[in-house]
Amino acid sequence: VDHPLVQHKLTIMRDKDTSTAVFRQLLREISQLLAYEVTRGLPMTTKRIDTPMQPMDAPTLDGKKLALISILRAGNGLMDGVLELIPSARVGFVGLYLDDRLVIAVDPMLATGNSSVAAIDMLKKAGATNIRFLCLLAAPEGVERMKEAHPDVPIVTAAVDEKLNELGYIIPGLGDAGDRMFGTK
Ligand code: URA
């Protein structure tokens, strides 16, 4: 997502001098902007309404309510913002009964891809057939791993960074997303 607001907010989040409070606020804002992008192309229908002027067939979302799945722990940091934009979404953790609804799996950092691939394996076992993956930052290695394991799952991210380091951190990245959002370091 190359929108200027997303990129500007991400830069402040990457800065090591940004406080936990500001990081959390920006995470909430950026997750709304990413939610806007990941839901682009949802099926639509129309419904008959009355404006004060006349009746009209107005566009509305079609189909089942979608499900949001958080990959713990850092995934929880994205949930609040996404839910502000999609307040009627079902919220779950892996284990929910999923059937044919659209599932958006959220995890801020797509690094090695191991946990995301495993979570999506579990979502598919739970019956999900229509999955999108939302993250804040991705490493090329993680994108590759996801594309190999789950080529049917589109990835929406604010940036694809340069690489992983030997500890599995994204470079330049923003550090440990969980520590930064929960203030644990
Ligand atoms: N998880 C993080 O929080 N940060 C990284 O850089 C990689 C994985």
Side-chain angles (χ1 to χ4, degrees):
V1 177
D2 59 1
H3 193 285
L5 289 177
V6 170
Q7 295 305 316
H8 180 83
K9 290 175 196 297
L10 179 58
T11 296
I12 302 170
M13 293 178 77
R14 287 181 190 273
D15 189 328
K16 68 176 176 41
D17 294 328
T18 295
S19 67
T20 302
V22 171
F23 189 93
R24 275 188 197 141
Q25 178 58 32
L26 288 165
L27 185 63
R28 176 183 285 265
E29 293 167 10
I30 211 169
S31 54
Q32 290 183 33
L33 298 167
L34 294 173
Y36 176 79
E37 200 55 45
V38 79
T39 50
R40 190 182 287 283
L42 285 187
M44 299 293 294
T45 183
T46 56
K47 77 174 191 186
R48 192 75 174 167
I49 58 165
D50 293 311
T51 79
M53 312 304 287
Q54 66 171 51
M56 78 173 281
D57 293 315
T60 183
L61 289 170
D62 192 13
K64 280 212 168 93
K65 293 191 164 77
L66 52 82
L68 276 177
I69 306 289
S70 169
I71 300 174
L72 299 175
R73 86 180 154 160
N76 283 8
L78 286 171
M79 295 295 267
D80 287 350
V82 176
L83 277 172
E84 269 169 37
L85 213 66
I86 320 170
S88 56
R90 299 283 176 267
V91 173
F93 303 93
V94 172
L96 188 78
Y97 175 69
L98 288 168
D99 61 35
D100 60 350
R101 74 182 72 225
L102 170 65
V103 172
I104 301 174
V106 299
D107 188 359
M109 308 297 273
L110 177 57
T112 61
N114 289 336
S115 56
S116 308
V117 164
I120 289 170
D121 283 340
M122 292 171 87
L123 293 174
K124 287 185 173 173
K125 280 200 191 104
T129 54
N130 186 5
I131 305 172
R132 297 179 193 182
F133 184 77
L134 178 63
C135 63
L136 187 58
L137 271 188
E141 294 89 336
V143 173
E144 263 321 295
R145 174 109 170 74
M146 280 280 281
K147 270 167 58 182
E148 269 166 33
H150 297 295
D152 55 312
V153 176
I155 302 167
V156 171
T157 182
V160 180
D161 275 8
E162 198 183 315
K163 60 174 184 184
L164 287 182
N165 73 6
E166 59 288 351
L167 297 175
Y169 279 87
I170 298 176
I171 303 295
L174 52 72
D176 186 302
D179 281 343
R180 296 204 62 189
M181 74 183 67
F182 296 118
T184 42
K185 220 174 230 169

